[in-house]
Amino acid sequence: PPPLFFFKQKTASEMPLRLVGSEMCIRDRSDVGGLKTTYGFPGTKDYLPSKNTLFVDRLIKSGVIIIGKTNTAELGVGGHTTNRLFGPTSNCFDISKSAAGSSGGASTAVATRLLPFADGTDQMGSCRGPAAYANIYGYRPTPGLISEDRSKDRKIPVLTTPGCLARTPDDMAFLLDEIVGSDIKDDYSFCLLYTSDAADARSSVDL
């Protein structure tokens, strides 16, 4: 049978700007050039990055407008989204309850329709847990599907990976289509390109 996927770098012509004008907030653990990244930690409350995280670059090139940051657990560590700079993020269904963590700011923003979708990172459930608490979808992809800069720590084992949150699988697919892909700064990164053969193969399978 034909392979469902093959590996190939996307070209600019293969990446239509389907997210032009979409507004997003980036989790306060990923860099946006000229916008503070605090990590929810007092020691880095004034950190102002000069360049974007790799997936943020892809989002901006696809036409996304970055309007702010979403709350995170301090340094991105913890099962609840709270920190000493901005306090806790409440559950969107009951403000007396937890939004889980550590991407609780993202999940709450998506669930309450403040954002169409959002980024996060996931090691032990930091996208999936908050998504479950907000009754939306959270995705931890295979490390390398969404590239991140590992050029300074190539010998450190990959434990965490960028992920995403959305209200529907279709919404998540729109976001993923724009941020997946390989980069020379990430030795684990790779590209997936859906083929017409794969579509034919899937249509012939009775699920």
Side-chain angles (χ1 to χ4, degrees), residues 3-11 13-16 145 177 180-181 190-199:
L4 294 184
F5 296 99
F6 69 91
F7 298 94
K8 178 184 176 183
Q9 178 65 57
K10 289 183 179 179
T11 64
S13 62
E14 294 171 326
M15 298 180 69
L145 182 64
D177 280 349
V180 299
F190 59 92
C191 286
L192 287 176
L193 195 63
Y194 196 60
T195 72
S196 58
D197 286 341

Side-chain angles (χ1 to χ4, degrees), residues 28-32 35-39 44 47-49 69:
D28 201 11
R29 187 181 177 274
S30 297
D31 290 346
V32 178
L35 192 63
K36 284 186 179 180
T37 300
T38 72
Y39 306 97
T44 51
Y47 171 57
L48 191 66
K69 290 295 192 80

Side-chain angles (χ1 to χ4, degrees), residues 51 149-156 185:
K51 61 180 181 179
D149 190 348
R150 304 182 193 274
S151 58
K152 296 180 181 179
D153 53 7
R154 295 183 188 274
K155 295 183 179 180
I156 297 177
K185 295 179 181 178

Side-chain angles (χ1 to χ4, degrees), residues 3-178:
L4 294 184
F5 296 99
F6 69 91
F7 298 94
K8 178 184 176 183
Q9 178 65 57
K10 289 183 179 179
T11 64
S13 62
E14 294 171 326
M15 298 180 69
L17 303 181
R18 293 184 294 181
L19 300 185
V20 169
S22 298
E23 296 177 342
M24 278 189 68
C25 293
I26 302 300
R27 185 184 176 209
D28 201 11
R29 187 181 177 274
S30 297
D31 290 346
V32 178
L35 192 63
K36 284 186 179 180
T37 300
T38 72
Y39 306 97
F41 178 60
T44 51
K45 63 183 178 65
D46 294 318
Y47 171 57
L48 191 66
S50 59
K51 61 180 181 179
N52 301 320
T53 298
L54 295 180
F55 77 83
V56 172
D57 261 338
R58 291 177 183 265
L59 286 172
I60 292 173
K61 289 176 182 177
S62 73
V64 168
I65 302 169
I66 308 299
I67 60 173
K69 290 295 192 80
T70 58
N71 203 20
T72 180
E74 192 163 314
L75 297 175
V77 179
H80 302 282
T81 301
T82 187
N83 59 66
R84 287 176 284 173
L85 291 181
F86 306 109
T89 297
S90 298
N91 187 282
C92 57
F93 298 110
D94 184 342
I95 62 173
S96 69
K97 302 295 192 296
S98 171
S102 57
S103 303
S107 65
T108 296
V110 171
T112 55
R113 299 181 179 270
L114 294 174
L115 299 174
F117 30 61
D119 72 287
T121 59
D122 197 312
Q123 177 176 333
M124 296 182 293
S126 288
C127 282
R128 293 163 289 169
Y133 276 48
N135 198 31
I136 61 173
Y137 292 86
Y139 180 49
R140 182 192 192 275
T142 300
L145 182 64
I146 303 173
S147 302
E148 58 180 333
D149 190 348
R150 304 182 193 274
S151 58
K152 296 180 181 179
D153 53 7
R154 295 183 188 274
K155 295 183 179 180
I156 297 177
V158 175
L159 299 176
T160 187
T161 179
C164 50
L165 305 96
R167 287 188 296 276
T168 69
D170 285 344
D171 288 350
M172 187 175 289
F174 273 111
L175 176 60
L176 278 172
D177 280 349
E178 304 304 326

Side-chain angles (χ1 to χ4, degrees), residues 1-4 194-207:
L4 294 184
Y194 196 60
T195 72
S196 58
D197 286 341
D200 293 339
R202 288 181 184 276
S203 65
S204 66
V205 176
D206 184 8
L207 301 178

